[in-house]
Amino acid sequence: MTATFSRFGNDLHAGRRTVPIVRRRRTWYLISLVVIVILAALALLRGPNLGIEFTGGSEFQVAGVSDTEQSTARDIVREHVSDGEPKVTVLGQDTMRVQTEQLDSTETALLAEELAAAYGVSTADVSTSYIGPVWSGDITQKMLRGVLVFLVLVAATMAVYFRNLKASVAAMSALVHDMLVTAAVYGVVGFEITPGTVIGFLTVMGYSLYDTIVVFDKVRENTSGLTAQTRATFSDQVELAANQTLVRSINTSVVALLPVGSILGIGALLLGAGTLKDISLALFIGILAGTYSSIFLAPGVLVDLRRRESGIAAHTALVAQARRSGEVSGVAGDRGLVRTDEDPDGLDTDEDPDGSDTDESPEDTQRARTAPRGGAR
């Protein structure tokens, strides 16, 4: 199986085989849109589960309990707090965490004593903490400010690196997709949103951008000297770049998902390490979404943003003219142009009306990338 996958990757890189990534980009757009809408609707029905760091309130942790029945803690809290339902979770194997609305020192001490008595532990085993609304509001503002600054700096850096603002916009579009999917899944699952979740989201941003930059760097390499030949259009070369980096992206994601999946599955779910759930779920879903968007969304968005540029549009017209006349420039070898009778998008035309030319074989696309530079016809 490994040898088969290796041959598949080699064929993609050499252009002998192709996955319709750019040509079927509207399909990938639609899949993403449907998934986001469904997940967002389910998440909104459930509502966000904000942690105490963002809402403020009092927290009690009862350690060394033999019975982790959550209803016991809820009944005790309801006797002291009339408004709001307490959040009761199990941490590890023998620790109960109870979060309530803001309580004063007297109420906090009394509730701690009753929780200790109910679970058969001493009051020393019950730790209490309090987070005020001012501190929680400050944390929320800093989180949003940090994310905004991160996005602005990354967008500017990518625009400078690729010398093209549209490449930065395409990458940021894929990043927004990843954040929406991760946030929606988080809301559907109902895990508590904590500062660890924010750390996970920032990590996902970095991973998603890294994968997209790898694809776009290959695009820049393939499109260098694009107008010196009339065999492959801009969209053809972007398609080739996406296919050439496909296996690499999958391998990188699998390697990254293995430890994260272990933390989520074994550490958080089996061992009950509640403090690991927030960051591990965000990382796991974010890596999956980032891999998908870097391969199937970002290249297509880049093509849609740039296909109407005067230089690219004119070159696409030259390629179409060369194909109609049966002449191709800037290509070594004696093999003729391989044409297809049907457009991959279902249009029986020589050129996809959206600018994504699809009338050549992967072999032709690869030869165009490696061919000597010639004059455009």
Side-chain angles (χ1 to χ4, degrees), residues 229-233 236 312-328 337 339 349-352 357 359-360:
Q229 49 79 43
T230 55
R231 178 178 291 275
T233 64
D236 294 332
I312 292 178
H315 178 260
T316 300
L318 285 176
V319 174
Q321 180 181 358
R323 291 176 179 177
R324 285 193 295 268
S325 63
E327 298 178 357
V328 179
L337 178 65
R339 303 181 60 86
T349 60
D350 289 337
E351 184 181 5
D352 189 348
D357 197 344
D359 287 325
E360 61 180 295

Side-chain angles (χ1 to χ4, degrees), residues 11 15 29 35 42 77 81 95 145 148 182 199 216 226 229 232 248 280 309 311 334 337 340 346 352 372:
D11 289 344
Y29 295 165
V35 170
L42 295 176
V77 173
V81 182
T95 301
R145 190 182 306 121
L148 181 61
T182 305
I199 295 173
F216 281 8
L226 177 70
Q229 49 79 43
R248 174 179 176 175
S280 58
E309 293 180 8
D334 56 358
L337 178 65
T340 57
D352 189 348

Side-chain angles (χ1 to χ4, degrees), residues 25-52:
R25 59 188 180 275
R26 291 185 180 84
T27 301
W28 310 125
Y29 295 165
L30 181 60
I31 292 174
S32 296
L33 179 61
V34 171
V35 170
I36 290 175
V37 169
I38 293 176
L39 290 177
L42 295 176
L44 290 176
L45 289 176
R46 182 162 189 161
N49 183 16
L50 296 175
I52 194 173

Side-chain angles (χ1 to χ4, degrees), residues 100-119:
T100 70
E101 64 182 41
Q102 179 181 348
L103 302 176
D104 58 32
S105 57
T106 302
E107 293 173 328
T108 299
L110 180 59
L111 185 56
E113 292 178 359
E114 294 192 15
L115 287 172
Y119 284 102

